[in-house]
Structure formats: structure tokens, C-alpha cells
Amino acid sequence: MSDLLTLFPTFPLTPPVSNLLNFIGDARLTTADLVALDPMSISRRLPSQLNTSLLELKSLQRTLVEHIHADIARLSSLPPPRTITTHSPTLDRLLNKIPTQAITEFAGESGSGKTQILLLLTLTVQLSPSRGGLGRPAVYISTEAPLSTLRLIQMKNYISRDLPVGEQPTTDKVFSIVCSDLETQEHIIRYQLPVLVQKFNVGLVVIDSIAANFRAEFERPMNRNKKLRSSNTSTPSSSPSSSSTGAPSAGARHGSQMAQRGKEMVRLAATLRHLAINHNLAVVVSNQVSDKFTPSASSRTPLSSSSSARDRDDDDDDIMSLDFQLKWFAGCDEGLEGGGKIPALGLVWANLLATRVVIRKSEDPKTGESRRSLRVAYSNRALAGEEVGIEVFEGGVKSVNDGGDECS
Amino acid sequence: MASTSPLPSSSHRLPTLSASQALSTSQSTRSRISTGSQELDKAIGGGLSRGKITELCGPPGSGKTTLGLQSAANALLSGDGTRVVWIDTSHPLPVSRLGAILSRSGDPRELFPNLQTIRTPTLAHLLTLVVHPLPTFPPENTSLVVIDNVSTPFTVAFPPGMEEEGGGGGGKVKTEPVGVRRFAIMGDLISALGKLAGSKGVAVLLLNQMTTKVIPGVGAMLIPSLSSPPWTTSLNSRLLIHYNKTSPSLLADPDDTRLSQIRYVTILKSNGASHSSDSSRPVTRLQIQETGVGDVKLVSEASPAAPAMKAYGFARGKRKRGLEAEVIPGSDEEGDGESDGNEDEGSAGECTSGRRQQRVIDSAQGL
């Protein structure tokens, strides 16, 4: 099936197109192909017994190009992005608020407060535009623990304290969906979410967390493969890409699984972005983190007096290695040498985000109290690098630097 | 049949340009758009050249968009109602940041009307826009077209792992592997962009993301997401922006400059000449700030800004583990002419000594 109708559902299905559509799909011609190829090459790819006239294909291409040009004009004239406040002046400044039409990620370990921020946003999105919201409801898709209603009510009561009755956020306007596996998740996001968004004019879609189902489906079997590989020591190790042998090696299977995971992530992000742009809504997701294992963490610090033996193991060599560059865009740069925690799902996912925010949790050596700090790892609209301490409180999450608005 | 419209009378006469005229126009400053970093401009011959394609690739957060915004701002600020077209394929243009950059030396409200933003969320949209351009694209007096970014539409249309399910399908109809179509469409796009740049005299800036490629025995390396010999050939300049460690002792005013804002640009190709060996690749430093791109002030201007480092290449047989799990084999297909891993030991050795020397300089200046 060609992607023509998925991409352009309003494309007119008049006779030449409707007759050809199935053949176009069979020939695996995508809409991009139909645009890029000349009619002669299109006709060569269609079954020869079809006898399509070049003229017909030419007119199909012309209609398609005109249709897409109209779509580009429509998309380009959509209203500009809006923003949602976090209810904390410091965080608003640091993040430049939460934008619509883009995917924003909050990554951090469990208990770092990322869910708290997401919950808070489901309420602030309901505030009127003059108070920093969009005046629209939110959808909360949870893949781990279900929505914590009690906590949400607590936050709602706090936020509503000094708001007139009509302008208070309500829990009625937070739609909650639970997806416990990847298949459900994909179905819900692809087919049900657009309907919900359309029906209730949703302004914010939250997914908490994006990683859970991907990791559950793709990482566990990976471990099983690893075990299989280690128990079967006679298997010659082969590169992940060589799958030509009759029984694919564990490495190849793992490789294709990673490819499959990448494909699902790309699809998911494309669907979310499509929703975000067409409905001018914000997509905010949380991500888990995993430990990063760096063997030479301690030996790297001294810049001078490097013995040749140590130099061989020095990471500085591969400046363009994933390991080396990852430290920065994973949000753990020079301040956090070595064993930092990196957001899950890898580079493919990282490339699909507009903003990544990383929350770190550390323990105060004296008091034993846990401290949380938040920083922008990268963003196309806010400057990365600055780190602020945050704390979770009755009304959600605020920066330790806020202070001022507490007294009012 | 498409009726052949009568040619406008003016096209009967071919406009001619003498070689010396051509040289002087190509060398005039008006034909270049500053990237905001003087060091980088100098390294690529004065800025982004009009009539040519420049590609900027880098990992997330390396500052691709900021460099694009700064170049757009510089083009807008050059006066005479110069226009800029910004094509976004994934996330919308951050207007507030462009405003902040523009307000450093102009009035954003006066200049914004000269900026046209176009959205092409899928590959089909992007191809339609560029391969079948409307007569109004790009508008008169456009000096710069930025595509932010050019790789996402390809990632969505040809997701990782798609090559595997290609070819075999169909049955009655013979189909070519999906990977082949990807390269063909990349070729169509880049040649259309080249035509657009050349015929309209606009500078085209492509922002390209990175993907991973596993080098056996080395580990996962980052390579530009879109890359093929015809693609690379069509680029006038190819810049790689990336992170690296900076010794605070090198900075002129360490209190003013934040290390996390410093980026490195390795010039893989400039003005048609590719720098194939690692040691000959110029490297410049720049700084990503709230108000755009700036130069990094170093302690001594005499010290080489570009340590002879191996910025884009593969290490000597060094084994690396850890993140191989994150590698997507589907993206390994890039026939990147530049990334052949068979590097002779000699040049690697040279590099190492150069780097060590640089380290000595670094540490000497720290004392």
C-alpha cells in the first residue's frame, strides 16, 4: 500500500488515480517516488500489462504536485507555536517555557521529579492564555505507573488557590490512558489519540515514559540473545550486519532488533509531530536513564604527563566517536566525567527531539537529603548548560531559586 | 500534452559574463554570508557562498540550528530588503531566538517580514518544494535558504532497518531495494538544490544530523546521516560541528566564557576542495550564546586554534565497548567516500604526536 493516502488523506481519488493506486502500492512507489521520478520511470515500475499512458501519469504527477504545494502553503500558514508555563519563573526562563508543535523530553532516574513536572503541565496547560497556559485540556498516556490522581488533586488545589472559580484547572480535563505494551501504545497513539485530540481540542500530550515499552520489548530479548550467545561458545563471532547465513547469529538478531526499535521510534515521533503541528499542541515525554559505563573514567582527567600506555586507552582519540560526543548531548559533560547516567533510546531518538531536559538526583553528603537539579541538555530554543536546583513540593515542582513567588 | 508556451523574448539573448567579471562577483563580500564566527568565516573563505550549497552536520545540541539562525540573521541584516527562506522539516523555527539574535544589531519587527518560513514535514513535501518549485520560490532578492534539517525526512521515509525488508517483497513486480531508492532520491534532491542555488544565486545551508556507524574493532562512530559520493560532490563546503574538551587555561577570559558553550567546527570540505586526511582538516572554535554565535577569545592569538587533532576519523586498532547496543545497522549503508577506515599507521602516528604537543602547550599555558 502506498503512503499516498496516509500522508495526504484529502487527495482526490478520481479515476486515473483510484485505478492506479493499488499498482502503485504493489510497486512500492512512495509518494516521494511519485514526486521525484519522471513519468517514464514511474511507468517502467508499474506492471507492463497495465498499459498506462504516460499522459495519464503526467497528469497524476501534476495533480499530486499541486496538491502537495497546497498542503505546504496550508502548513506554512499555520499559527506560530505557543508556550505553556511551568508555574516557576526560574524554570520558565531556563526552558523558555514548553513550546507547542515540538517534542520536549524530560529525562531522569526514578524519583527525580520528571513525573511531577509532567503532572504539573497537565494542569498549567488548562490555565488561560493570560496566565501562561493554553486554556485547553491534556492527555496523559502512562506506560509505567498509572496516573497518580491523588497527587494531581493536591497540585490542582495548590494551583487553584488564588484563581477565580471559572479559571481553575480541573482533573476532568486530564484524560488518562494506560498502555502496557508497545502494540497498544502504537495503536492508541496512531488511531485513538488523534480522535481524542480533535474532539476535545487537547493542548498537551504527555507520555510517561516513552522508554518503558521500547525497553521492555527490545531490551529483554536482547539479554536472552546474549545468554544464548555465551552458552554457545562454538559460534564464531560475526559482525552485526552479516545476516546471510542460514541461522543468523545472536549479534545479527540483536542488530535487526535495534533497527526495528529505531523504526518504531521514528514512526512514533513522526505521528506525534504531525499531531503537534496540525493541532498546535505540545508533546512532552519523560525518558528513563541508564548507567553509562566508561572504563577509563579515572585515567582521563590529567591532561599532561600521559604515558604512552595510558594514551592508548585515552578516549580523547575518537573525537567523533559516539561515546565521546554522547557525553554532551546526554546532558553529562565536563562537570560529570565518566559514569554519568544517559537518557535511554540512543541517538535515533535523540535526533527526533527538539528539547532534552535532564534531571539529576544526588545525595547531600552531610544531611543525606536528596537534591535534584535540572538542566537543558540541548534545545533549539533555549540555551543549554545552566543547571538549577529544583524541589518537589505541594504545588508541583519549583526551582530553589524561585523563592519570591512563594510569599505572594 | 503540455503546451509549449512561447518563450519570453528576453531569453533569446543569452546573458554573458566575462571571466573577470565573474571572478570579481564571486570574490565580492556581497556573495558571502557571515556565519557569525570570524574564525569560521575565514576558514571557509569569507562565509557561506551564494550560488553554492554548504552543509553543516553535527550531533544533537551541537549548535546547528543556532549557526543557521545566526547566518539567517546576518543575511537579513545585510540590508536592501534581503530575504531569507527557512525550511523546517521537523520542529518550527525558534522565532524568539532569532529575535534575540537580530535585536543585537537591528529591529526584529522590521526584518521579520523578509523571512519566509516553509514547512515540509515529509520527504514528499520537501521534494515537491525543491524539485517542482513554484515560480514564487524562492522569492526575489533571496540570499539564503536554510533547510533545518535535511535528514529527518529521509529518516522517516527510510527508517532504520528498512533495507532488510526491501527487495524481497512484491513478487510479480520487480522492485529495487529500498536503499537504492534512498540514494536516488538524495541525488534528485541535491541536484535540484544545486540548480536552485546556482540559478537564483542563493546560498543554500543544509543542516544534517548524524548517525552511527560501527567500525569493527573501534566502536560506534558518528557520521553524517545523509552522505553519498554524489551528495558530497555537490556540496561546496561541508562543516562538522561537534563538542570537544577545552582547557580553561586557554581562554582569555575564563569567567566570561562558559565551557559548555564552546563548539568545534571541523572543515571537511571548503570551496570545493575536500580535506581528506585528518591532519589537514582545519578546526575552528566558536561559542554558542543566547544572542547567537561568537568567537572564542583565546589567551594568545598566536597559539594555533586548531590542534592537530583527529577530529573525524578512526583510531588505531582500539577496542571500544559499551554503546554498540545503540547502533542501528540499517543506517550503516552510507557509502561515504570519506569514511574509509584503512588509514595508514604513519599518519595516525603523526597525529598522535601533534596532539601530544598540543597538550604540552595546553598544560604549559596553564602554569
Side-chain angles (χ1 to χ4, degrees):
Chain A
M1 189 58 196
S2 175
D3 59 351
L4 180 63
L5 290 184
T6 332
L7 292 177
F8 304 101
T10 54
F11 189 70
L13 281 182
T14 43
V17 187
S18 50
N19 297 340
L20 286 173
L21 203 59
N22 275 337
F23 296 103
I24 289 171
D26 282 348
R28 291 174 169 262
L29 285 167
T30 61
T31 313
D33 289 326
L34 292 178
V35 172
L37 293 167
D38 57 291
M40 185 65 108
S41 313
I42 298 177
S43 124
R44 229 180 291 134
R45 282 167 170 80
L46 294 174
S48 49
Q49 69 271 21
L50 206 64
N51 258 333
T52 32
S53 73
L54 283 184
L55 212 61
E56 217 167 70
L57 287 173
K58 214 174 213 168
S59 92
L60 162 68
Q61 192 176 49
R62 200 168 44 227
T63 325
L64 182 62
V65 164
E66 275 166 19
H67 187 83
I68 299 178
H69 271 304
D71 199 48
I72 294 174
R74 175 187 70 84
L75 287 164
S76 303
S77 61
L78 285 177
R82 314 225 350 228
T83 54
I84 303 169
T85 177
T86 60
H87 228 241
S88 149
T90 313
L91 293 186
D92 275 355
R93 177 184 59 80
L94 199 71
L95 307 173
N96 200 357
K97 299 189 182 165
I98 307 294
T100 62
Q101 307 188 12
I103 306 177
T104 306
E105 178 192 274
F106 286 88
E109 52 193 304
S110 64
S112 59
K114 51 188 192 319
T115 299
Q116 305 291 327
I117 294 183
L118 302 190
L119 285 175
L120 178 63
L121 289 171
T122 62
L123 297 172
T124 55
V125 68
Q126 300 175 32
L127 298 174
S128 63
S130 61
R131 297 187 193 273
L134 301 176
R136 292 158 68 184
V139 176
Y140 187 97
I141 300 172
S142 55
T143 62
E144 294 174 338
L147 175 72
S148 163
T149 326
L150 288 176
R151 179 70 177 115
L152 193 67
I153 290 170
Q154 188 186 26
M155 274 190 211
K156 185 211 79 176
N157 290 339
Y158 185 88
I159 292 173
S160 316
R161 280 177 319 167
D162 37 2
L163 289 178
V165 178
E167 288 189 34
Q168 292 176 354
T170 72
T171 47
D172 288 348
K173 288 191 174 167
V174 180
F175 307 107
S176 159
I177 306 173
V178 181
C179 318
S180 48
D181 60 78
L182 198 57
E183 209 182 324
T184 323
Q185 178 180 320
E186 194 186 332
H187 186 269
I188 285 176
I189 290 174
R190 217 155 173 194
Y191 302 104
Q192 302 190 357
L193 187 60
V195 178
L196 191 71
V197 163
Q198 178 86 47
K199 193 169 170 191
F200 294 100
N201 187 23
V202 168
L204 170 74
V205 173
V206 166
I207 303 178
D208 184 21
S209 76
I210 197 81
N213 284 333
F214 281 113
R215 294 181 99 185
E217 308 256 330
F218 291 106
E219 288 185 9
R220 224 175 280 146
M222 174 190 107
N223 291 337
R224 206 184 302 142
N225 283 348
K226 264 193 185 154
K227 265 179 222 151
L228 194 141
R229 188 186 203 170
S230 57
S231 66
N232 189 1
T233 41
S234 61
T235 315
S237 60
S238 60
S239 73
S241 54
S242 70
S243 55
S244 53
T245 46
S249 70
R253 218 176 306 148
H254 171 217
S256 73
Q257 263 200 340
M258 278 300 146
Q260 179 67 26
R261 188 182 87 161
K263 190 163 132 187
E264 304 270 354
M265 287 191 302
V266 168
R267 262 191 206 150
L268 175 68
T271 314
L272 289 174
R273 208 162 45 212
H274 179 83
L275 269 181
I277 290 173
N278 283 286
H279 298 276
N280 202 3
L281 57 83
V283 176
V284 181
V285 305
S286 70
N287 194 355
Q288 301 169 341
V289 291
S290 50
D291 283 306
K292 180 167 156 23
F293 171 66
T294 336
S296 57
S298 54
S299 69
R300 209 189 299 119
T301 350
L303 272 166
S304 55
S305 75
S306 53
S307 71
S308 65
R310 200 190 298 165
D311 195 55
R312 280 220 157 257
D313 284 337
D314 201 320
D315 258 9
D316 291 31
D317 292 344
D318 301 331
I319 287 164
M320 284 321 292
S321 75
L322 177 63
D323 277 6
F324 187 77
Q325 296 288 317
L326 179 74
K327 279 188 286 195
W328 276 274
F329 64 82
C332 45
D333 60 359
E334 76 281 345
L336 297 135
E337 277 294 341
K341 294 199 184 290
I342 56 163
L345 302 183
L347 179 66
V348 176
W349 177 251
N351 271 334
L352 297 164
L353 297 170
T355 300
R356 164 171 283 172
V357 182
V358 176
I359 309 174
R360 279 198 301 142
K361 206 170 85 173
S362 57
E363 227 159 70
D364 196 303
K366 286 179 210 151
T367 58
E369 254 178 78
S370 65
R371 282 184 308 189
R372 303 174 174 92
S373 51
L374 175 148
R375 71 190 293 175
V376 177
Y378 58 87
S379 170
N380 64 348
R381 55 197 301 286
L383 202 64
E386 193 185 340
E387 187 158 30
V388 297
I390 55 166
E391 58 190 28
V392 175
F393 76 119
E394 194 191 343
V397 176
K398 65 178 180 183
S399 162
V400 290
N401 307 351
D402 279 346
D405 71 331
E406 256 304 273
C407 314
S408 60
Chain B
M1 261 307 189
S3 61
T4 47
S5 57
L7 290 166
S9 57
S10 62
S11 70
H12 285 297
R13 282 179 54 183
L14 284 170
T16 54
L17 194 67
S18 75
S20 60
Q21 266 179 309
L23 183 69
S24 68
T25 26
S26 77
Q27 283 177 339
S28 76
T29 44
R30 274 198 55 77
S31 70
R32 297 280 183 165
I33 297 160
S34 168
T35 59
S37 156
Q38 289 177 7
E39 210 186 314
L40 177 59
D41 284 352
K42 214 163 76 187
I44 57 172
L48 310 176
S49 49
R50 290 182 67 161
K52 306 274 174 58
I53 308 175
T54 306
E55 187 190 75
L56 179 67
C57 31
S62 54
K64 299 184 293 288
T65 304
T66 311
L67 253 164
L69 288 172
Q70 181 70 63
S71 307
N74 290 342
L76 288 172
L77 288 167
S78 66
D80 306 337
T82 312
R83 292 178 163 272
V84 170
V85 175
W86 184 282
I87 301 170
D88 69 64
T89 63
S90 53
H91 293 111
L93 165 85
V95 180
S96 57
R97 283 204 75 191
L98 184 62
I101 294 171
L102 280 172
S103 56
R104 199 158 61 159
S105 40
D107 184 3
R109 271 166 305 177
E110 263 173 44
L111 294 167
F112 272 136
N114 293 338
L115 174 82
Q116 188 189 7
T117 53
I118 301 180
R119 290 202 148 150
T120 56
T122 70
L123 189 56
H125 287 96
L126 183 62
L127 283 170
T128 306
L129 181 74
V130 177
V131 180
H132 303 275
L134 291 175
T136 51
F137 175 81
E140 277 299 300
N141 208 7
T142 299
S143 69
L144 175 68
V145 173
V146 185
I147 304 187
D148 178 22
N149 59 67
V150 74
S151 54
T152 297
F154 282 92
T155 314
V156 176
F158 303 99
M162 200 134 142
E163 284 82 356
E164 283 155 39
E165 62 184 53
K172 350 176 239 252
V173 191
K174 59 174 194 303
T175 55
E176 57 217 308
V178 180
V180 175
R181 278 309 299 153
R182 181 174 183 268
F183 281 114
I185 289 182
M186 275 168 63
D188 291 339
L189 180 67
I190 199 76
S191 69
L193 285 170
K195 207 164 100 185
L196 176 107
S199 62
K200 307 274 177 163
V202 300
V204 174
L205 177 64
L206 306 178
L207 307 183
N208 193 353
Q209 293 178 323
M210 306 289 275
T211 184
T212 47
K213 174 173 181 156
V214 177
I215 312 294
V218 178
M221 302 296 289
L222 292 177
I223 59 164
S225 187
L226 294 182
S227 205
S228 69
W231 180 274
T232 319
T233 315
S234 309
L235 302 173
N236 179 53
S237 299
R238 182 172 233 197
L239 315 174
L240 176 66
I241 183 164
H242 56 92
Y243 307 90
N244 200 354
K245 281 182 213 154
T246 311
S247 160
S249 58
L250 270 178
L251 302 172
D253 37 8
D255 303 331
D256 243 27
T257 318
R258 297 180 54 166
L259 288 179
S260 60
Q261 298 179 347
I262 296 177
R263 299 288 186 276
Y264 289 74
V265 181
T266 302
I267 289 135
L268 303 178
K269 189 178 181 187
S270 60
N271 294 317
S274 47
H275 309 283
S276 48
S277 78
D278 293 320
S279 49
S280 72
R281 284 180 180 145
V283 180
T284 67
R285 286 193 180 93
L286 53 82
Q287 197 180 352
I288 302 288
Q289 291 160 309
E290 191 102 47
T291 49
V293 176
D295 280 299
V296 179
K297 292 189 197 75
L298 297 177
V299 177
S300 154
E301 287 302 323
S303 80
M309 62 181 184
K310 207 153 132 192
Y312 183 75
F314 307 107
R316 312 143 286 169
K318 183 155 71 74
R319 177 155 293 281
K320 201 169 280 179
R321 262 160 280 120
L323 282 164
E324 276 177 38
E326 301 292 343
V327 171
I328 307 305
S331 55
D332 291 354
E333 282 256 333
E334 339 288 315
D336 191 350
E338 292 168 346
S339 56
D340 43 346
N342 46 14
E343 189 188 328
D344 55 323
E345 271 302 314
S347 74
E350 260 172 49
C351 255
T352 322
S353 66
R355 189 168 48 248
R356 199 167 295 141
Q357 217 166 11
Q358 181 59 34
R359 267 187 207 161
V360 174
I361 297 170
D362 282 11
S363 52
Q365 273 164 347
L367 292 172

